[in-house]
Amino acid sequence: GVWVMGILPKIQVQRVVGYTASRGLRRVAVLAPATAYGDAVVNALYQTAARTGAAIGQIQRYAPEQTDLSPLVKGLGRDMDAVLLPEGGNRVRVLAPLLAYHDIDPAQVKFLGTALWDDPTLGLEPTLVGGWFAAPDPASWADFSRTYRDLYAEAPPRLATLAYDATALAALLARAAAGPDFSPEALTQSNGYAGVDGIFRLTPDGAVERGLAVLEVRREGPVVIDPAPTTFEGLVF
């Protein structure tokens, strides 16, 4: 009876790697932290590779406190079309130029990220410009944020949309024609629901599936290069 409403690493990896493979960039290496989050990303990559025909290159893992990552970067080799960097903030700002220093040229190898890259300042790091990641469409968040500011005179926390969508879903099911219906069948109906962060549907195993956009890092901020789907028809997770 409990569902996750968040934007799961699995969905992010499936979206960005699936898009990358569709552009002919199929050999994907990974440089990921040795954490539960890193595990989720790597496992998602294996699942995505099986579905999209992507080939998994070298996988290098590092402890969160590790400072010298040069040996791991060298261990990635050169036989890759893209490299997945599931980090955000200052960590990815250090990793990206380190890869370029060791001749992994972002002009030749596409740098990929997760929703941790959803940061308008990331484009200030030149080696990240042109990188791709999956996240909700930022236009919807901008509209929500403006409305929230008008109502409460302060910026909303980024997680506010998840709470809003969950509450809106509860209100929708409470107004069902035959009376309130919070049954598993109603909650997990296959067409899903439309939320601020895009379409979503709850699955019988307690997870959530979402339609995400693919964004490209630009100096002025991330830009959508492949829009989020508006229906689950034809989507495979």
Side-chain angles (χ1 to χ4, degrees):
V2 176
W3 278 269
V4 174
M5 278 294 288
I7 303 169
L8 301 177
K10 174 184 175 182
I11 305 301
Q12 300 167 37
V13 173
Q14 287 178 339
R15 181 68 167 104
V16 72
V17 173
Y19 175 80
T20 302
S22 74
R23 294 302 182 270
L25 306 176
R26 297 185 177 277
R27 296 169 298 173
V28 182
V30 187
L31 183 60
T35 61
Y37 180 76
D39 292 344
V41 166
V42 171
N43 290 338
L45 180 60
Y46 276 109
Q47 296 172 16
T48 302
R51 181 171 58 83
T52 64
I56 300 176
Q58 290 293 322
I59 296 177
Q60 298 286 358
R61 308 293 298 275
Y62 54 86
E65 67 276 7
Q66 191 169 340
T67 56
D68 182 12
L69 299 181
S70 292
L72 297 179
V73 171
K74 293 176 183 177
L76 288 172
R78 298 295 176 268
D79 186 24
M80 58 183 158
D81 299 316
V83 58
L84 181 59
L85 305 172
E87 288 276 17
N90 290 333
R91 190 64 158 176
V92 77
R93 288 182 175 90
V94 171
L95 284 176
L98 182 64
L99 267 64
Y101 177 79
H102 288 288
D103 299 323
I104 301 176
D105 185 354
Q108 304 295 325
V109 176
K110 182 63 67 175
F111 289 5
L112 307 178
T114 62
L116 294 176
W117 284 28
D118 195 5
D119 175 352
T121 69
L122 216 57
L124 298 178
E125 169 48 55
T127 53
L128 288 169
V129 172
W132 295 341
F133 67 96
D137 189 321
S140 298
W141 163 251
D143 291 342
F144 177 88
S145 185
R146 280 192 294 271
T147 302
Y148 190 102
R149 286 177 182 272
D150 290 344
L151 287 171
Y152 303 111
E154 62 182 22
R158 186 59 187 90
L159 294 179
T161 51
L162 300 181
Y164 183 91
D165 286 350
T167 303
L169 173 58
L172 177 67
L173 297 179
R175 296 196 301 268
D181 182 5
F182 300 105
S183 65
E185 292 73 22
L187 285 163
T188 61
Q189 59 100 5
S190 61
N191 290 331
Y193 301 93
V196 176
D197 284 322
I199 58 171
F200 69 94
R201 62 183 176 190
L202 306 178
T203 60
D205 63 357
V208 63
E209 295 174 344
R210 291 182 172 274
L212 302 178
V214 176
L215 297 93
E216 181 173 277
V217 177
R218 304 273 179 87
R219 182 171 177 80
E220 66 275 13
V223 173
V224 173
I225 58 171
D226 195 47
T230 57
T231 174
F232 281 104
E233 184 177 356
L235 291 185
V236 179
F237 291 88

